[in-house]
Amino acid sequence: MTTALIVLPLAGALLVWLLPWSRFWAGSVALLVALVEVGLWINTLVGFDFDAEGLQHAQRVTWLADLDVSYHVGLFGFSLWLAGLTVVVMAAAIAYAFWAGRDRPRSYFGLMLFLTGAIVGVFSAQDLLLFYAFFEAMLIPLYVLVGVWGGPGRIGATLKFVIYTMAGSLLMLAAIVVYGLSEGTFDLVKAGTSGSTWLFLGFVAAFAVKAPLFPLHGWLPDAYRESPSEVSAVLSGVVSKAAVYGLLRIAIAKFPEPAQELRVPILLLAASGLVYGSLLAFRATDFRGVVAYSSLAQMGLITMGLFALNDPGFDGAILQSVAHGLISATLFLLAGSIERRAATGELPRLGGLAKGRPALATLLMTTGVIALAVPGSASFAGEFLILVGVFERGWGWAVVGVVAIVLAAMYMLRLISAVLHERRGRAVTEDALDLRPAELAIVIPLVACLLVLSAWPAGITERSFAGGPDDPRAAVAGRDDGWTGYAPLEEDEP
Amino acid sequence: MTTAAWICLLSPLAGAVAITLLGTRIPRREAGYLATLSVAVSAVAAAVAFFAALGRGGEEREAETTAWTWLTAGELDFGLTLLVDPLSILMMLIVAGVGSLIVGYSIGYMDGDDEERRFFVYMALFVFSMLLLVLAGNFLILLAGWGLVGLCSYLLIGFHHERPSAIAAAKKAFVMNAVGDAAMALALFLLIYESGTLDYLRSFERVGELGSTTATLVALGLLGGAVAKSAQIPLHTWLPDAMEGPTPVSALIHAATMVTAGVYLIVRTHPIFEASVGIQELAAGLGAITLLVAGLIALVQTDIKRVIAYSTMSQIGYMFLGAGIGAYANGMFHLMTHAFFKALLFLGAGIVIHALVGEQDIRKMGGLRGLMPKTFVAMLIGAGALAALPPLSGFFSKDSILASALAREDGFGYVLYAVGLAGALLTAMYTFRMIFVVFLGEPSAFVREHHHAHQGKEGPFSMTAPVAVLAVLAVIGGWIQIAGTGWHPLADFLDPVVAVEREHLALVEPTVTQDYVTAALSVALSLAGIALAWLIYGARRREAPRQPFLQRVLERKFYCDEAYDFAFYRPAAATARGWTRWIEGPLIGGSIAGLAGGTRELGRGLSEAQTGFLRTYALAIASGLAVLALVFVSVRL
């Protein structure tokens, strides 16, 4: 089942790329494959036993017996949710590209499908070399997608992106080789935990670049600004979550002691990123800049949740990853739609778009208020849990977190009113259209997912971690800080 | 009872969703009817819940109901839980009852506006959020409702979003409330950490185990949220600006319901406040300061809605005072009567504004009594109730709070009492200043030119009917509880929820003498205030004696906006600007540029090794081999 989730988009990519489809048919076939992939994921979800410990839908084929390298894939609860985020956002992105009519459609859609398969692969790989292969495979289509289809500054953006990512990845490769050889296996399920700080840092470097974590985010503003908007949506919505998964599945689960020891410096970086990103988002002068820096802030927050190293932190980080993925994908797609209408994303030249464009106004407003974590929304639930988690590590972390939430309100409201409200901007013409039916069909499902998640965030938090030896929570179960859990509830409760 | 509560909660949500989904397929006016209907269903359901509760014994009037588990984390779980008890039933009645009147009024008020459907969606959504707030059975759902009412308030203040001032006011309201939410969230983190639960009933049971430091910090955080939501000092500056919203919004959100949520919160969580050290007194003190300061500022305001807005701040100050000294039932009593007479005043002002094509400056008004006699009567009733004149509702509720302060019989109580009495004088003064300036005298030039009657009447039925109902309620609403006579059904109804359990904090009931003294003093002061207002503004409409310095300070609202701008906004903006310029550009962006440049230089240097001469390559290979051989040999040995 897991293999099908990986192979289907890869096969689809070959199909789209190699056969001489016309523009229309290339897009249609790619969209069909992406939708079938969503269906396949739903099918997996329905058959998933969230109470069972350990991997599910696992498949293992030995590859290099000597080094114990294998094709080993499978899903945990939390990987299932991240894979779900991937297939949904990728389907929306492919549909958006189809609607926007990207040039050279066969290569474009082929690369998008290839990217889908690679990301799903990252979220399901249980062998380190396989994980590395998928992790790097993500880079290839992204490199081309940004470098060929991007905006005027695309070459510089691509270069930065690739250099940063490669630097992180090489450190990870070294760490993988040393760790795999010393454990005698590259299989994540079989390999034991390690106490090596250097190996831990090697992994963290790769993920910190990918997330990105402050101050390794130099590639982010340019990449998010220059990419086609649906690629930005994928980059910030989905690709960044590969870092969350990697931190959780490898860095924390396999290196619990270094994770404990280096908790405070990492929390410090994450918290700095949170505040830094929030303040820069407040000063950013264009739509995508605000969303880009808010993504930096959100990834800082999610990392804080992970390195709280406790249940609320983990649950909150997964919930927030899914929520943020949907939010920032939606916002980037809307940014793309607005840029198509106004030919610019510069905030001073936008404004007044709400008048007479109810669909655009409603969707941007809804997504925006969920993004600023209005209490009662999915992202509020995620942030709340993350901060409950870090509060246990010291109240100061939670104070930083709530300050950032106030800042989030400031930059998001600024974005919303700069785009939708006040006087009509110079770049906005009177007859700029409301969202077209095709755009609605793409964006509304994403917003609907967010609303469902807001009504029932426990749907994810109850179903992310089932326990068992492979559960990342098991690795950090022994607490070193004398904290003995929540005060027990009275027994006589009904 | 619980079924009725669920219907009460969900009906406005269903209304909002239906209008959104129907879009342009539903005519504008029908959207208003649908919204009103959905809120009216809530009101009926609230009444059903009320009578169901009355039919039960005191202990059985409390019911918890959980729809589903909203959020979990490890061993923590937070349900989508409602708690139906006398306190929430009272709030349901006020919110849904007054809400349906005001939403109905909006049908007439918003008639002809561009985006009526959006307005009614927001209004219905607000009623849902407010009901979620008052019905929540745990702190997390409370916080959800708390945030959602703030969101609706933002949307409705900024309803006319092409006006920059409206958008600025909306953002200000949201951000100030976000500060309050943040304080509350911190309190909840601490509560979770210490008690492992956010359910009201479970956490109140465990208040004793918390320790006074924890309880104090939790109470402080909750108070922060309450102060922001209820526009009490020091988080009060958003409320006057919020008057940018349409008048029904001001009536519903910024007078009758949302802004009183802070009082509700204190009353609801009183076990925590009682376990704290000094936080309850702090609430009372802030209330006292606010009621005085807001009363002073209201004296110089020239916008009719801002006058009423400051009076709202001031009256909520009384409620905080009451809740802060443990007189919960009296605080809730004043919350209820205030909802009636303040909604009445706003809606009456709305009729005036509507008749004067949107003008809100009282200096341009005058002599409206002859043109709008019924509105005048309604406003007079509202003003009388606000100034606490017997037998109008405000008299009974305000005096009961003051008498409770007197009954403390300690220094703090006397100070609060004196402040409260001074506030009574101010209240009467600014209220009747507004009445005299707007309604008495000769019609002003502006009025003669712009006043227009609605089809020969003072307003459409949808506007006048709610005003009439509220006028009746503003008269009789206070009779439900009469101090000094032993008639207090409201306090009895609320008693199971608000009873003070700790002996040393037990509220001392005011004696009959204290009740009568308070009543006499406050009526005398109110009358004196009216007389002063008459002398200055009514009789000859002459200029008030000018006090340049004092007046300027009051007109600038004690410079709070400027102070906050200077203390918070500017440093944050400057930091952001500095970081953008000095860190993001040169360090983060520059490092990669440096790296790229370095790589290029390195490449250029290395490329010089490619000479194209065979001899260079042969030398390189040979030396490489030699080095490798050395390495291997040394490693082997």
Side-chain angles (χ1 to χ4, degrees), chain B residues 428-429 432 436 525-537:
Chain B
M429 252 181 96
F432 278 86
F436 294 150
L525 282 166
S526 292
L527 290 174
I530 296 172
L532 266 173
W534 173 253
L535 282 177
I536 302 174
Y537 304 102

Side-chain angles (χ1 to χ4, degrees), chain A residues 160 217-218 276 279 283 293 315 369 375 385 387 391 413 417 421-422 454-458 461-462 483 486 488, chain B residues 68-70 72-76 140 143-144 151 154 161-162 167 171 189 192-193 206 576 579 583-584 588 592:
Chain A
K160 277 190 186 181
H217 65 277
Y276 183 83
L279 275 176
R283 293 303 303 181
Y293 284 112
D315 282 327
V369 298
L385 285 187
L387 295 183
F391 188 90
L413 294 184
S417 34
H421 300 146
E422 302 187 4
S454 299
W456 194 41
T461 55
E462 273 178 341
W483 192 76
Y486 302 101
Chain B
W68 60 77
T69 304
W70 194 67
T72 61
E75 60 216 281
L76 301 169
L140 194 60
L143 189 55
L151 172 67
Y154 161 79
H161 52 66
E162 63 284 350
I167 287 298
K171 286 196 276 192
F189 300 149
I192 293 176
Y193 185 72
R206 318 188 70 184
W579 283 0
I583 299 186
E584 185 66 10
I588 307 287
I592 183 73

Side-chain angles (χ1 to χ4, degrees), chain A residues 80-387:
Chain A
L80 180 70
W81 295 118
L82 294 175
L85 171 72
T86 310
V87 298
V88 169
V89 169
M90 287 309 300
I94 288 172
Y96 191 88
F98 184 27
W99 179 78
R102 299 290 172 212
D103 288 340
R104 281 162 282 187
R106 276 165 42 217
S107 348
Y108 191 92
F109 290 113
L111 288 166
M112 288 293 259
L113 286 174
F114 182 79
L115 181 60
T116 312
I119 303 174
V120 174
V122 167
F123 290 145
S124 50
Q126 300 302 326
D127 181 277
L128 276 168
L129 283 182
L130 188 67
F131 175 83
Y132 184 75
F134 281 127
F135 197 79
E136 291 304 292
M138 290 194 308
L139 190 59
I140 301 162
L142 283 171
Y143 172 75
V144 184
L145 285 169
V146 182
V148 175
W149 281 272
R154 59 184 183 270
I155 300 299
T158 317
L159 198 67
K160 277 190 186 181
F161 177 58
V162 170
I163 291 178
Y164 264 98
T165 316
M166 287 305 287
S169 299
L170 287 177
L171 290 174
M172 177 165 80
L173 181 61
I176 286 178
V177 170
V178 175
Y179 175 63
L181 291 180
S182 65
E183 291 291 322
T185 175
F186 284 86
D187 193 304
L188 272 171
V189 177
K190 284 196 216 158
T193 61
S194 158
S196 163
T197 307
W198 289 110
L199 293 182
F200 172 75
L201 285 177
F203 283 106
V204 167
F207 302 138
V209 168
K210 196 62 112 186
L213 204 56
F214 177 84
L216 300 176
H217 65 277
W219 59 269
L220 169 138
D222 285 353
Y224 286 12
R225 278 195 185 110
E226 298 297 337
S227 306
S229 54
E230 66 275 13
V231 176
S232 301
V234 172
L235 262 177
S236 87
V238 181
V239 174
S240 61
K241 305 305 175 292
V244 176
Y245 178 82
L247 285 174
L248 193 58
R249 181 72 186 98
I250 301 175
I252 292 175
K254 294 299 167 193
F255 301 91
E257 286 160 35
Q260 287 277 9
E261 283 161 15
L262 294 174
R263 191 182 70 220
V264 172
I266 291 178
L267 279 177
L268 262 179
L269 280 186
S272 320
L274 177 57
V275 175
Y276 183 83
S278 303
L279 275 176
L280 259 65
F282 188 59
R283 293 303 303 181
T285 55
D286 59 325
F287 193 132
R288 290 207 207 179
V290 176
V291 187
Y293 284 112
S294 87
S295 284
L296 173 65
Q298 287 293 314
M299 292 313 294
L301 186 70
I302 292 171
T303 312
M304 283 175 83
L306 290 177
F307 280 86
L309 300 178
N310 53 25
D311 293 350
F314 288 158
D315 282 327
I318 293 303
L319 176 58
Q320 187 65 4
S321 294
V322 175
H324 172 253
L326 292 167
I327 290 166
S328 87
T330 312
L331 286 177
F332 273 118
L333 292 185
L334 288 173
S337 289
I338 287 165
E339 285 162 10
R340 289 173 73 82
R341 285 162 175 75
T344 180
E346 290 294 319
L347 296 179
R349 306 186 60 203
L350 293 172
L353 272 168
K355 200 88 190 160
R357 298 175 192 87
L360 174 66
T362 309
L363 287 172
L364 180 56
M365 181 64 88
T366 310
T367 319
V369 298
I370 295 178
L372 63 80
V374 68
S377 64
S379 52
F380 163 76
E383 293 187 6
F384 189 85
L385 285 187
I386 289 173
L387 295 183

